[in-house]
Amino acid sequence: MMLTRLVRPRLAQFCGLTTTKLAQKDYSSFVGKDFATLKDFDSNEIQQFLWTANDLKTRIKKDGELFQPLRGKSIGLIFQKRSTRTRVSTETGMGLLGGQSVFLGASDVHIGVGEDLHDSAKVLSSMFDVLLARVFGHDIIETLAASSSVPVINGLSDTYHPLQILADLLTLQEHFGQLKGLKLSWVGDGNNITHSLMIACAKLGMEMRIATPKDFEPNEDVIKYCDKVASKTGSVLHYTNDPKEAVDQANVIITDTWVSMGQEEEKEMRLKLFADYVVNDELVKGAASDWVFMHCLPRYKFEVTDSVFHSKNSIVFPEAENRKWTVMAVMLHLLQDYHPVYPKPKFGF
Ligand code: CP
Ligand code: NVA
């Protein structure tokens, strides 16, 4: 549902405000908007999702409040690929907010098999209030968004995984007390998670050093886009083939599988080419003394040793839990305006 251009002016007209005046408020309306990539959101808007996620976590988990603003709403979950966290966080999160979800697995529905995607999107958006899709090509997200009359959330495409990065940022904010000034290092494949993290760092003005094997660097268009954004925000994005250079004095070391979903046939070749990119005790010696390890999961034993993955510096499980509070913030904001009850956490920007 590509409604940004439509909804904002309409809402502004309704409120008797111009879009400029709306943008000057301390929070934005995302109602009717798609959540396809973080490119579509600026620094304040990314912080707003994190603020709401923190607020929902505090109200519902800490205070035990029953808060069900999405009663009567439903989300359709289109999954062309496997998932544990994205599926479960969305289903349980929607339930907590009072709504319901329907899982549409690849072998259960006609989507992408037989029925035209535009037709499926029209039908589904006549029955659901919001859709979430996990797909192969990112163009599938774009087609769904273009043909759907309700917002579409990207639950991972081959190119982006924006929901994961909201969870990562929330986890870092909780752990370090702010985001500004953190040095992030990425070691491994230049993949969908790398791209979304790069976009977030560029928008927020953060530093990220990315070490990948040669020929597995991030997508060139994403690099160009991020470098352009970074030149305005003061973000530092550095690309290297040397993991030690990336990890040097880093506060955060992040990796992901070397074989993403859809790349299974390349597994043998990738395991050989990525052999020097294991996150192990030797590599983390070069990090800052307060380093933490993150991984979107599922983790395979190739890319990180047990000694790091299960160390006291690993924050992978709080990171996984935060998938729930962040997707709840996204669903809530796309369906209705919401201003958090609790103060904005300190991000440092
Ligand atoms: N991190 C993540 O998206 O996990 P799932 O594949 O289990 O959804
Ligand atoms: N890069 C991985 C992320 C899984 C959550 C993949 O796309 O399979």
Side-chain angles (χ1 to χ4, degrees), residues 320-347:
E321 182 197 329
N322 280 335
R323 290 297 310 276
K324 178 160 172 164
W325 304 106
T326 44
V327 74
M328 286 167 70
V330 172
M331 291 188 291
L332 181 55
H333 272 305
L334 302 191
L335 288 170
Q336 60 183 248
D337 285 327
Y338 177 72
H339 193 283
V341 171
Y342 279 92
K344 189 175 182 179
K346 189 175 167 210
F347 295 116

Side-chain angles (χ1 to χ4, degrees), residues 66-133:
L66 184 67
F67 178 58
Q68 302 200 312
L70 299 186
R71 228 179 298 169
K73 302 289 183 193
S74 61
I75 184 165
L77 306 176
I78 304 164
F79 277 72
Q80 295 186 333
K81 295 174 176 173
R82 297 181 304 273
S83 168
T84 300
R85 280 142 288 268
T86 306
R87 174 181 178 177
V88 176
S89 60
T90 309
E91 291 200 20
T92 56
M94 187 50 136
L96 264 185
L97 292 173
Q100 60 169 188
S101 13
V102 178
F103 182 73
L104 309 165
S107 56
D108 307 320
V109 286
H110 298 287
I111 301 164
V113 196
E115 186 167 32
D116 183 273
L117 199 55
H118 296 273
D119 297 349
S120 299
K122 280 184 192 148
V123 172
L124 293 175
S125 55
S126 73
M127 300 182 190
F128 289 110
D129 300 288
V130 55
L131 298 172
L132 179 146

